[in-house]
Amino acid sequence: GGGAMAVLKSQKSKAYFKRFQVKYKRRRQGKTDYRARLRLSIQDKNKYATPKYRFVVRFSNKDITCQVVYATIGGDRVLASAYAHELPEFGLKVGLTNYCAAYCVGLLCARRVLKKLKLDEVYEGLAGESDDEGIGQDFNVEPVEDGPRPFTCLLDVGLKRTSTGSRCFACLKGALDGGLDIPHSEKRYFGYDPDDKELDSEGLKEHILGGHITEFMELLEEDEPEEYARRFAGYVAEGLEADDLEELYTKTHEAIRENPERPKKAKKAPAEKKKWQQAKKTYAQRKADMKAKLLALRAAADE
């Protein structure tokens, strides 16, 4: 019968390999979208050395990171940062990667950077509502009449999919309520209805204060107590029930606003100082060493 036609494999020539240009390391690792990064960090030349700040939000399996970063030729500099693993210090010990925790980390980062720049009393953000009254509405910081302008930065979500209700926008909401000025629209918050083109502020408030978790806890406790004990083991260990969550998150927000600064760890001086160079000998020691050396040589010569 007729033989199958041979498939021609394209041979890459020497010229191809000679001219091959390697991509940036973080592109090869699939970590940085350089197209987005360029647009977020490039600054007009007539603004000279004014940095363009980015509000960087990143999620890992067990943590949430928020940082205020600016780019320099030597590399990026971090102005302030906040992490979900710090939240136990503010009273939140469970569910450190959920929507509510993302809001708390955003709030903490905002309060921290404003405190560092001594703007925390000028721009308090969504303050004054003791029970998080207007937390469900979209909040925009207003510049004060006779004082510094609000601290402005741009949201940098990296490679995360920016779908409506995503946790990265919970961080954004926290930062806005904390008093940062970040250009945004309400279209990506949880509770935004694209058909009616309006935000369900009550739904968003409930989501930030853990309403969806409360609902799920109640449902599971009733229907499958064993599954409840497994899934919410951390909550049970802390003695938390479905009804306690709203109060817990409200108290966490208050604690963050009260003192957002990172506690300084006391550095202990090492017991023994490291020495890389040998200690210099005194004249007497050198003289004694030379004497011993000469005596050894003489003894060897006599033998």
Side-chain angles (χ1 to χ4, degrees), residues 74-258:
D76 286 10
R77 297 283 170 85
V78 179
L79 196 64
S81 63
Y83 301 89
H85 66 247
E86 294 177 75
L87 294 177
E89 291 167 25
F90 298 96
L92 183 63
K93 294 179 181 169
V94 282
L96 295 182
T97 50
N98 62 26
Y99 198 88
C100 323
Y103 177 88
C104 293
V105 177
L107 179 67
L108 178 58
C109 188
R111 295 314 296 160
R112 229 172 232 176
V113 74
L114 291 177
K115 183 130 192 170
K116 187 173 184 177
L117 301 168
K118 297 185 172 54
L119 291 172
D120 54 330
E121 285 172 16
V122 185
Y123 293 107
E124 291 189 343
L126 189 72
E129 284 88 354
S130 55
D131 56 345
D132 289 327
E133 194 68 39
I135 204 169
Q137 269 113 23
D138 187 20
F139 177 78
N140 287 298
V141 65
E142 297 294 331
V144 291
E145 287 288 315
D146 45 354
R149 295 181 57 74
F151 183 80
T152 306
C153 44
L154 306 170
L155 179 66
D156 177 344
V157 292
L159 303 173
K160 195 163 169 60
R161 181 72 54 85
T162 52
S163 42
T164 304
S166 170
R167 289 174 305 169
C168 54
F169 299 112
C171 291
L172 166 74
K173 179 80 174 93
L176 292 165
D177 291 357
L180 294 187
D181 180 20
I182 305 175
H184 67 284
S185 82
E186 57 182 32
K187 290 185 179 179
R188 288 286 177 225
Y189 290 152
F190 177 86
Y192 180 80
D193 189 344
D195 299 330
D196 299 342
K197 291 192 170 48
E198 61 179 45
L199 180 69
D200 172 16
S201 53
E202 205 48 52
L204 177 59
K205 178 183 172 180
E206 202 177 279
H207 219 64
I208 290 170
L209 297 175
H212 56 302
I213 306 168
T214 304
E215 225 169 88
F216 184 55
M217 280 173 89
E218 285 169 350
L219 182 80
L220 210 59
E221 194 172 13
E222 207 174 293
D223 298 351
E224 300 175 44
E226 286 173 12
E227 182 68 4
Y228 173 81
R230 188 182 70 80
R231 282 205 186 196
F232 291 101
Y235 290 70
V236 174
E238 287 295 324
L240 289 170
E241 290 184 358
D243 305 338
D244 306 335
L245 295 187
E246 187 169 329
E247 190 186 342
L248 171 73
Y249 289 120
T250 308
K251 279 185 176 169
T252 307
H253 299 162
E254 282 170 16
I256 286 171
R257 282 183 175 283
E258 208 152 292

Side-chain angles (χ1 to χ4, degrees), residues 34-43 52 54 154:
Y34 277 99
R35 189 166 188 270
R37 182 189 156 81
L38 184 73
R39 283 153 180 71
L40 281 168
S41 54
I42 207 158
Q43 179 68 293
K52 189 178 265 192
R54 312 197 310 279
L154 306 170

Side-chain angles (χ1 to χ4, degrees), residues 26-54:
R26 286 183 65 88
R27 171 65 192 90
R28 296 200 303 272
Q29 293 169 337
K31 286 181 178 176
T32 298
D33 174 357
Y34 277 99
R35 189 166 188 270
R37 182 189 156 81
L38 184 73
R39 283 153 180 71
L40 281 168
S41 54
I42 207 158
Q43 179 68 293
D44 300 341
K45 285 282 177 276
N46 62 2
K47 291 180 184 166
Y48 299 97
T50 313
K52 189 178 265 192
Y53 294 99
R54 312 197 310 279

